Amino acid sequence: MQSLWNETQTNPLEATYWSDVPYLLGEGQAMMYSVRPKSSSRSPIPGLPFSPSQNYLRESMVGTLARREVELDFRVQVQTDAHRMPIENAAVRWPEQLSPFVPVATLRIPRQVFDSPKQLAFAHKLSYNPWHCIPEHRPLGNQSRARRRMYWELSHLRQERNATPHVEPTGNEVFD
């Protein structure tokens, strides 16, 4: 039954993403965010409906970025009603009629090759968490507080088991 309701994703660069929890938007202001592609194009999935590749999403992303840059809208939904848009209950979807998502920035991902062996090896050493931000944009709420420790523990465990040191990207990395 679930497959009847789930949308099959064609390409990670063609999907819309939403924050699951609220974030701080400067002192005393909460927000949710969303990232939505500017283009409405949809990639075909080779092999559907019978046997798509197990890595079709990566392959689709590789193909897209080999051909063109991608632009996405970064949108913000500001908390306007603390009761109907709670910080401590991430299960409540904030009503867009109270506060619509507003585009505040354009993310541009340039044409590129991003899956070279050196890049994949570098990515293997990285870890992500939502607290890798300036304090004025930190995650809010009880779910975020619980997740913070879990992210740290899982990252530490993965790096320990894989014998990979923690690496902070500098932006100066070069992958020939």
Side-chain angles (χ1 to χ4, degrees):
M1 285 301 292
Q2 187 174 2
S3 65
L4 295 174
W5 299 104
N6 284 344
E7 178 183 352
T8 300
Q9 295 301 319
T10 58
N11 184 327
L13 301 170
E14 297 169 355
T16 299
Y17 299 90
W18 291 269
S19 58
D20 291 330
V21 295
Y23 288 77
L24 194 60
L25 182 62
E27 189 60 39
Q29 181 65 67
M31 62 120 179
M32 299 282 260
Y33 68 84
S34 174
V35 178
R36 180 178 64 187
K38 285 185 173 278
S39 170
S40 60
S41 66
R42 305 299 286 171
S43 300
I45 302 173
L48 264 189
F50 302 108
S51 59
S53 163
Q54 288 185 350
N55 293 315
Y56 79 90
L57 291 172
R58 178 192 289 184
E59 292 161 4
S60 187
M61 240 172 49
V62 167
T64 297
L65 291 175
R67 291 186 308 276
R68 62 180 173 84
E69 78 171 10
V70 172
E71 290 188 340
L72 305 116
D73 280 326
F74 189 88
R75 306 177 311 150
V76 170
Q77 181 186 31
V78 177
Q79 183 193 43
T80 57
D81 181 330
H83 178 70
R84 295 182 61 198
M85 304 166 95
I87 290 173
E88 296 298 335
N89 186 352
V92 176
R93 187 171 185 178
W94 290 7
E96 288 192 53
Q97 60 270 26
L98 287 180
S99 178
F101 281 96
V102 176
V104 295
T106 297
L107 302 177
R108 286 187 182 87
I109 303 173
R111 238 180 106 187
Q112 61 185 284
V113 174
F114 68 88
D115 66 338
S116 72
K118 286 184 181 180
Q119 287 169 305
L120 293 174
F122 178 71
H124 186 71
K125 296 176 186 174
L126 299 176
S127 63
Y128 165 82
N129 77 63
W131 292 269
H132 197 239
C133 62
I134 61 174
E136 295 83 4
H137 294 169
R138 72 183 178 274
L140 298 172
N142 53 22
Q143 186 173 344
S144 291
R145 288 188 294 277
R147 289 170 56 197
R148 183 175 191 167
R149 179 66 187 260
M150 186 62 71
Y151 271 91
W152 187 89
E153 292 290 345
L154 289 173
S155 174
H156 183 72
L157 176 66
R158 180 177 62 87
Q159 290 173 340
E160 185 178 280
R161 289 213 174 152
N162 292 335
T164 56
H166 177 76
V167 173
E168 275 298 313
T170 64
N172 296 322
E173 294 80 13
V174 177
F175 306 103
D176 293 333

